[in-house]
Amino acid sequence: MSTSIVLNWSGEGSDVKVAGEFTSWSPQDAIKTGDAWQFKIDLQPGRYQYKWVVDGNWLADESQPVDIDESGNKNNVVSVEVEAEKIPEVQKETEPIEEKPTESNLVESTEADQTEGSGDSDSWERVSDDDCLTTSKPTVNNTEGRSNVGFVERIFSPSEDFQTTMESRGPADEHMEYTIYYWDTPDYTLMKKGLWCKQFQNCWLLRILEKNGVKTIISLEEIEKRLETILGYKGSLNDFTKKSLSKRIEFPGASTRWKIEDFEVRLVKEGDLQTVHIRTQDNIAEGLKKILEIANQLDLKNFRMH
């Protein structure tokens, strides 16, 4: 299932376009909206690199997530997550727990770096059969006996010496630091209803606690529709933060990425919460097996929400 994505450019320029893996790197026109430029596109789950083409110059917006490709080029990156209901055999029914909202609860109840999962599983995994079709690289040949190839990712908790272990393997390929904001009403209306509105690196997420897990929405249009229903009036995210979502909780965030053979290992810090994400491209069964082998080598622990 595709997700509607909106990319925003707030810098200078009279002619703004977007080129990326989702356009086969062919520049496409962005639309001027007020003082900014927007580019809307429907994307399948995956991680896409792209660049802004401003007055003919190919640029990466440093205020948004960036990545370095194999040729050393700096590109922006947008991630489209798999909805919780698409994750096979890892979700259990989870009923909302009514408790007094605190800043500590807010961190512990939401999982870091644009992912979602059920709180009662020992660890969490996500898969996408479509991801391998969204990159510029060729997919695995099924004649070799590997079907349903896609990106497979699992989340763990780091051991105390994880950082030292990774540093001994060599320098990180990427390190980013940023600020994370959670928005709510003064009396925590969203949290009481099982929702968390998150902003970081010029991106917005809305997490919704459902019976079969946690659903993450990244479409601005869909986020605004959900908030309209709860807050009782129509508006933009800017309107909601000015009028109703006046409670802002701020946390420091950081992401450090290493490459181990065919695996991407990423340490994500959000406040006091730390998680390790291991990602590879393979079929589901083999991918998860290999990820667990890497996790054992790194002495990672099963991830629990509480």
Side-chain angles (χ1 to χ4, degrees):
M1 180 181 296
S2 62
T3 300
S4 179
I5 300 298
V6 179
L7 305 177
N8 295 281
W9 172 265
S10 301
E12 298 180 354
S14 58
D15 180 41
V16 179
K17 303 178 186 293
V18 174
E21 292 178 317
F22 42 75
T23 68
S24 298
W25 292 103
S26 174
Q28 304 292 321
D29 290 330
I31 298 175
K32 185 72 177 293
T33 304
D35 296 330
W37 296 79
Q38 290 188 341
F39 181 79
K40 298 182 180 181
I41 188 170
D42 292 334
L43 295 176
Q44 295 291 330
R47 198 164 187 261
Y48 303 83
Q49 294 193 22
Y50 67 96
K51 259 189 167 140
W52 295 95
V53 185
V54 182
D55 296 334
N57 299 310
W58 291 61
L59 307 172
D61 186 349
E62 296 289 349
S63 68
Q64 302 184 37
V66 296
D67 205 349
I68 308 296
D69 64 18
E70 294 178 350
S71 300
N73 300 308
K74 180 181 290 187
N75 303 315
N76 285 121
V77 61
V78 59
S79 296
V80 181
E81 300 180 36
V82 182
E83 293 184 358
E85 52 266 29
K86 288 183 175 291
I87 303 172
E89 301 179 359
V90 297
Q91 300 290 357
K92 300 177 184 179
E93 286 197 354
T94 305
E95 294 294 339
I97 301 174
E98 186 173 353
E99 57 184 12
K100 182 179 179 180
T102 65
E103 295 186 6
S104 176
N105 289 340
L106 183 58
V107 180
E108 294 173 358
S109 300
T110 56
E111 198 283 306
D113 188 25
Q114 314 155 13
T115 56
E116 67 271 10
S118 174
D120 51 1
S121 60
D122 286 342
S123 54
W124 182 86
E125 58 213 34
R126 67 177 177 187
V127 296
S128 170
D129 294 337
D130 298 325
D131 276 358
C132 61
L133 304 180
T134 64
T135 68
S136 57
K137 301 177 182 178
T139 57
V140 177
N141 190 336
N142 287 343
T143 59
E144 297 178 1
R146 301 173 68 188
S147 58
N148 297 323
V149 175
F151 285 117
V152 185
E153 180 174 343
R154 190 159 186 171
I155 300 173
F156 302 88
S157 294
S159 59
E160 292 183 0
D161 59 350
F162 171 79
Q163 189 88 34
T164 303
T165 300
M166 295 306 298
E167 290 175 354
S168 67
R169 291 174 172 265
D173 296 307
E174 174 190 80
H175 178 76
M176 296 186 296
E177 296 183 358
Y178 44 88
T179 303
I180 300 164
Y181 304 99
Y182 285 95
W183 297 87
D184 210 328
T185 63
D187 58 350
Y188 293 96
T189 298
L190 299 185
M191 186 177 176
K192 290 176 181 178
K193 292 181 177 292
L195 288 86
W196 295 271
C197 187
K198 176 180 177 181
Q199 179 190 13
F200 66 105
Q201 291 185 296
N202 205 30
C203 298
W204 289 84
L205 301 177
L206 184 66
R207 300 193 192 283
I208 304 175
L209 183 62
E210 298 181 338
K211 286 187 176 181
N212 64 335
V214 179
K215 179 179 180 180
T216 298
I217 298 175
I218 60 177
S219 165
L220 292 180
E221 182 178 357
E222 183 63 24
I223 291 174
E224 289 171 350
K225 286 182 179 179
R226 296 292 183 121
L227 293 178
E228 287 174 5
T229 302
I230 295 172
L231 299 177
Y233 65 93
K234 291 185 177 182
S236 64
L237 279 168
N238 187 51
D239 295 330
F240 295 143
T241 55
K242 287 182 178 180
K243 297 178 181 179
S244 301
L245 305 181
S246 57
K247 179 65 176 179
R248 189 182 78 173
I249 301 175
E250 179 178 328
F251 301 102
S255 173
T256 307
R257 177 172 60 85
W258 297 267
K259 187 77 172 179
I260 301 180
E261 298 176 354
D262 295 330
F263 299 86
E264 178 185 282
V265 179
R266 187 181 296 271
L267 174 65
V268 177
K269 299 180 180 180
E270 181 172 325
D272 295 330
L273 178 66
Q274 297 189 39
T275 52
V276 177
H277 304 237
I278 303 180
R279 174 184 169 104
T280 189
Q281 185 174 350
D282 209 325
N283 65 55
I284 298 172
E286 286 299 315
L288 291 176
K289 179 180 178 181
K290 294 175 182 177
I291 285 176
L292 289 175
E293 291 175 354
I294 293 292
N296 288 331
Q297 293 178 22
L298 300 177
D299 194 28
L300 300 178
K301 311 299 181 183
N302 287 332
F303 173 71
R304 294 181 181 274
M305 293 291 287
H306 300 288

